[in-house]
Amino acid sequence: MRTGQLSAASIASAMIALVDTAVSDVDVARYAEKLTARCLDLLGVQAAALLLAYPEPPLRPVAASSDEARAVLDLHAEDTDGPAMDCFTKGVAVTVPDLAAETHRTPALAAATQAGYAAWHTLPVRLREEMIGTLSLFSTDRGPLPTAVQGVGQALVDAAAVGLAHRRELTRSSALAQQLQTALDTRIVIEQAKGILAAQQDCTVDEAFQRLRRHARNTNQRIHDLAHDIVAGKPGQTVPHGPRHHRA
């Protein structure tokens, strides 16, 4: 197995690039392709492919450095056995150092051998205790990954896990902010409609809300949609007068 470019500068550069996902337009598939490309540059393997349970399960192929590796991972995504699935379940690195001796186990292992790979190494992609995927490294040389290569590979996927988790939290925060804004906008429109209706029908704001809600229910509308039509002055949108309650 060739050793790749295991210099401190190249490793640091790769890790910084993988951690940085703060920009809003980060595409996960493109990000995964960046990770597999870094693996080829640094680890001396012939192919790399990423399976992710991101942003939620199930585990599925996201990126591969070659069509052959992608085809193997597509097959493997349907397996319950094999290196990537074992790695994801156990949360530890799994290696098949001699694929030719294991082709009987699953179609994916047989496909990897047919593609010319001699060994398949899989590293866990996790953030603390949460597994979010696996990185598969394919080599044309039999045998385990050298210790130094495996260490750098694990450092890369750890950095990628941090970057992906950061991106997921940014996405969730953005979605939550949008939900809160929508709820606020809805409340404002309803309050405006209550005020308009109270003035039109000379009733209290509470009475206006009861009439608004009752009419929405009777006409099978969402109360927000009805309130929006009232605020917009939509022609023909009339809320019937309800029973009057004497003001104090």
Side-chain angles (χ1 to χ4, degrees):
M1 170 182 240
R2 62 186 179 85
T3 58
Q5 303 171 13
L6 294 180
S7 70
S10 59
I11 294 169
S13 174
M15 293 184 68
I16 290 170
L18 291 170
V19 169
D20 183 15
T21 55
V23 294
S24 60
D25 60 347
V26 168
D27 179 82
V28 173
R30 211 171 289 172
Y31 178 82
E33 289 172 0
K34 184 195 316 186
L35 171 61
T36 58
R38 295 284 184 171
C39 290
L40 298 190
D41 292 340
L42 294 171
L43 305 182
V45 294
Q46 280 66 58
L50 190 66
L51 283 165
L52 285 180
Y54 177 93
E56 303 293 344
L59 196 64
R60 54 194 176 277
V62 176
S65 63
S66 69
D67 292 340
E68 293 81 5
R70 180 60 187 245
V72 170
L73 265 292
D74 284 341
L75 276 175
H76 195 33
E78 302 174 5
D79 290 338
T80 57
D81 184 26
M85 296 306 172
D86 290 346
C87 175
F88 187 76
T89 301
K90 299 173 183 176
V92 296
V94 173
T95 189
V96 180
D98 187 358
L99 278 170
E102 301 287 341
T103 54
H104 61 282
R105 284 178 53 193
T106 71
L109 290 169
T113 303
Q114 292 169 3
Y117 304 126
W120 182 346
H121 317 285
T122 309
L123 302 176
V125 184
R126 63 171 175 261
L127 183 66
R128 301 181 184 91
E129 299 304 316
E130 181 188 7
M131 283 290 297
I132 61 174
T134 61
L135 176 70
S136 288
L137 304 172
F138 297 94
S139 174
T140 53
D141 298 323
R142 286 193 299 272
L145 276 176
T147 301
V149 173
Q150 181 168 331
V152 172
Q154 190 62 59
L156 290 177
V157 294
D158 288 347
V162 172
L164 287 169
H166 183 210
R167 183 69 199 130
R168 184 173 62 183
E169 290 308 311
L170 286 175
T171 301
R172 286 177 176 172
S173 296
S174 176
L176 177 59
Q178 183 59 49
Q179 291 168 7
L180 291 174
Q181 185 60 51
T182 299
L184 177 60
D185 293 343
T186 297
R187 176 47 52 190
I188 290 173
V189 169
I190 291 174
E191 291 298 324
Q192 290 174 333
K194 285 162 56 178
I196 292 171
L197 199 58
Q200 289 176 344
Q201 300 190 3
D202 189 26
C203 63
T204 68
V205 172
D206 287 343
E207 287 173 340
F209 179 66
Q210 294 302 323
R211 295 174 187 181
L212 189 69
R213 185 168 60 182
R214 183 169 54 250
H215 186 59
R217 184 171 59 247
N218 292 341
T219 56
N220 197 29
Q221 298 181 74
R222 294 190 310 168
I223 192 169
H224 173 260
D225 293 339
L226 176 58
H228 182 272
D229 288 346
I230 291 171
V231 172
K234 184 176 179 180
Q237 188 58 273
T238 303
V239 176
H241 288 64
R244 292 297 307 271
H245 299 285
H246 295 292
R247 298 174 187 257

